[in-house]
């Protein structure tokens, strides 16, 4: 059912962008999923009313808050609908502009591995006669210590309205899972997405990664590990800490804000050691491996890297990576948005989503 949404003046531009739906997209009739011989395992979720997965297959213990759906404050969808409706319901909000909300996409949760965090949400709009669509793998942030795939729900709906299939995974968290477990999970989620592409009618050769904060760093890792374009067509990263050692040193500076100090401690938890003069070779190997610039080579994925002027993950994390990419002939853009927003908070700027969408269309075509 299509409902009427009355948007406040502050939200009008966002609503107009979010609701630019191709003709007929909102009226697509949901179909049953195809059932290929190796169909992915469906995990019941709260949205289906059948309960969420519980327990940890690795230990047999019940899921703890850090291993289940933990909202991440620095990565929560910005209020006021700037992530395609986040912070609102499909109802009436005071204001002037009158818009019509698009029909919601289909969504299901699947298991791409045995661990409780190895789950992935899919969002798609069934269209039986449509050609395979470009797709986005969206990776959440949260200092590698928390966060949840559901923080992308509203942004995923917005992208599906613009013609994309979206999959958003959770991944194992530090300090329980030491690096590179997080990257391994991102790679596994991507492989799962490609293997079962026909289920959601997506083109496995037209996948772009979007990640925020630590999820953005995982995205740049996918885009540079080996020959990045063999994995993905491109990477959009919002406030990515691409150089964990830089984050570690910045967090130790006198007067460093609490967010930078938290990121410093998160780096220690991620690599499960403290970089420094007393660190052993295994520690430095993990630290170096976690720096995306260290993996750059010809054939890597083009990137759009975004920060704000007051971001606690400064743009230097991306300028050095972009320089390395350009030196081997790979396209890399660094955009700095005025303000103090971080990660998904960058979507509060009215120009951010149109820039991302234009970049996606250029590189997923």
């Amino acid at each position: 059912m299509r409902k009427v949404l009355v948007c406040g003046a502050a939200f009008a531009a966002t609503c107009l962008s979010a609701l630019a739906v191709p003709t007929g997209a909102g009226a697509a009739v949901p179909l049953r999923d195809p059932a290929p011989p190796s169909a992915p395992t469906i995990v019941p979720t709260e949205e289906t009313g059948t309960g969420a997965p519980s327990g940890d297959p690795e230990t047999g213990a019940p899921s703890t808050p850090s291993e289940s759906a933990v909202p991440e404050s620095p990565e929560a969808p910005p209020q006021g609908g700037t992530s395609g409706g986040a912070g609102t319901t499909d109802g009436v909000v005071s204001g002037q502009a009158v818009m019509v909300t698009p029909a919601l996409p289909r969504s299901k949760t699947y298991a791409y591995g045995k661990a409780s965090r190895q789950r992935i949400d899919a969002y798609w709009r069934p269209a039986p006669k449509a050609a395979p669509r470009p797709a986005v793998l969206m990776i959440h942030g949260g200092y590698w210590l928390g966060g949840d795939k559901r923080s992308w729900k509203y942004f995923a709906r917005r992208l599906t309205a613009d013609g994309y299939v979206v999959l958003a995974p959770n991944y194992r968290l530090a300090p329980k899972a030491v690096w590179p477990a997080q990257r391994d999970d991102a790679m596994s989620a991507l492989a799962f997405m490609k293997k079962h592409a026909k289920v959601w009618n997506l083109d496995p050769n037209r996948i772009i990664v979007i990640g925020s904060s630590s999820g953005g760093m995982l995205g740049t890792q996918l885009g540079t590990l080996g020959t990045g374009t063999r994995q993905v067509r491109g990477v959009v990263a919002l406030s990515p800490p691409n150089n964990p050692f830089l984050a570690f040193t910045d967090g130790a500076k006198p007067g460093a804000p609490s967010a930078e100090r938290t990121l410093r401690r998160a780096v220690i938890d991620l690599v499960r050691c403290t970089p420094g003069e007393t660190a052993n070779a295994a520690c430095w190997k993990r630290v170096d491996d976690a720096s995306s610039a260290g993996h750059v080579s010809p054939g890597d994925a083009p990137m759009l890297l975004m920060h704000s002027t007051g971001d606690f993950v400064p743009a230097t994390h991306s300028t050095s990576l972009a320089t390395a990419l350009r030196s081997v002939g790979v396209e890399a853009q660094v955009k700095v948005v005025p303000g103090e927003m971080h990660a998904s908070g960058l979507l509060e700027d009215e120009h951010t989503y149109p820039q991302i969408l234009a970049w996606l269309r250029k590189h997923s075509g």
Side-chain angles (χ1 to χ4, degrees), residues 3-362:
K3 302 180 182 178
V4 175
L5 171 65
V6 183
C7 299
F11 310 147
T14 298
C15 293
L16 285 168
S17 175
L19 303 178
V21 187
T23 303
V29 179
L31 305 177
R32 291 187 179 274
D33 290 334
S38 57
T41 302
I42 298 175
V43 179
T45 65
E46 292 179 2
E47 289 190 6
T48 63
T50 55
S54 62
D56 188 338
E58 297 173 312
T59 65
S63 299
T64 62
S66 64
E67 287 293 304
S68 57
V70 181
E72 46 178 321
S73 56
E75 292 300 315
Q79 298 298 307
T82 55
S83 260
T88 68
T89 58
D90 292 334
V92 177
V93 181
S94 61
Q96 302 297 323
V98 178
M99 301 295 162
V100 178
T101 63
L104 296 180
R106 293 200 65 184
S107 62
K108 285 186 180 179
T109 299
Y110 303 85
Y112 69 88
K114 294 181 179 179
S116 60
R117 288 285 302 185
Q118 292 171 328
R119 302 291 183 267
I120 189 166
D121 292 343
Y123 302 85
W124 76 105
R125 296 177 182 272
K129 296 182 180 180
R133 294 175 174 174
V136 173
L137 178 69
M138 304 185 72
I139 309 178
H140 72 78
Y143 298 98
W144 306 285
L145 305 174
D148 189 82
K149 54 187 169 50
R150 287 184 292 181
S151 64
W152 283 119
K153 179 171 63 175
Y154 299 101
F155 192 55
R157 291 174 178 174
R158 188 172 186 179
L159 283 173
T160 62
D162 282 315
Y164 290 85
V165 176
V166 177
L167 275 82
N170 276 344
Y171 48 88
R172 288 170 293 165
L173 302 173
K176 180 179 178 181
V178 66
W179 178 265
Q182 296 73 25
R183 183 181 65 201
D184 291 345
D185 282 1
M187 290 288 287
S188 295
L190 178 62
F192 176 90
M193 186 177 184
K194 292 181 177 182
K195 179 179 179 180
H196 301 289
K198 290 183 180 179
V199 172
W200 312 290
N201 194 35
L202 68 85
D203 185 340
N205 297 314
R206 298 165 67 199
I207 298 175
I208 289 178
V209 180
I210 296 180
S212 60
S213 196
S214 54
M217 172 267 203
L218 294 177
T220 62
Q221 287 273 323
L222 293 186
T224 55
L225 195 65
T227 302
T229 47
R230 292 181 180 176
Q231 277 93 245
V232 295
R233 289 282 286 269
V235 177
V236 177
L238 309 178
S239 306
N242 293 313
N243 187 336
F245 183 67
L246 176 61
F248 173 81
T249 56
D250 283 350
K253 293 178 179 178
S258 60
E260 289 186 11
R261 297 196 302 271
T262 299
L263 185 56
R264 172 186 167 87
R265 293 191 295 270
V267 170
I268 295 172
D269 284 338
L270 178 69
V271 296
R272 207 178 289 169
C273 63
T274 302
E277 293 182 0
T278 60
N280 59 29
C283 177
W284 282 113
K285 183 178 180 180
R286 289 194 293 274
V287 172
D288 291 342
D289 186 43
S291 176
S292 299
H295 297 288
V296 167
S297 62
D300 282 344
M303 297 191 188
L304 173 62
L305 309 166
M306 305 187 76
H307 297 258
S308 70
T309 52
D311 203 329
F312 73 85
V313 177
T316 49
H317 278 266
S318 290
T319 53
S320 58
L321 173 59
T323 299
L325 288 166
R326 292 174 193 141
S327 71
V328 295
V330 177
E331 176 193 343
Q333 300 177 45
V334 179
K335 300 285 187 179
V336 180
V337 176
E340 297 184 352
M341 301 84 75
H342 173 70
S344 60
L346 293 168
L347 295 166
E348 294 174 6
D349 183 276
E350 63 179 347
H351 303 293
T352 300
Y353 183 77
Q355 286 180 348
I356 292 174
L357 185 59
W359 198 93
L360 288 175
R361 286 175 170 162
K362 176 184 176 182

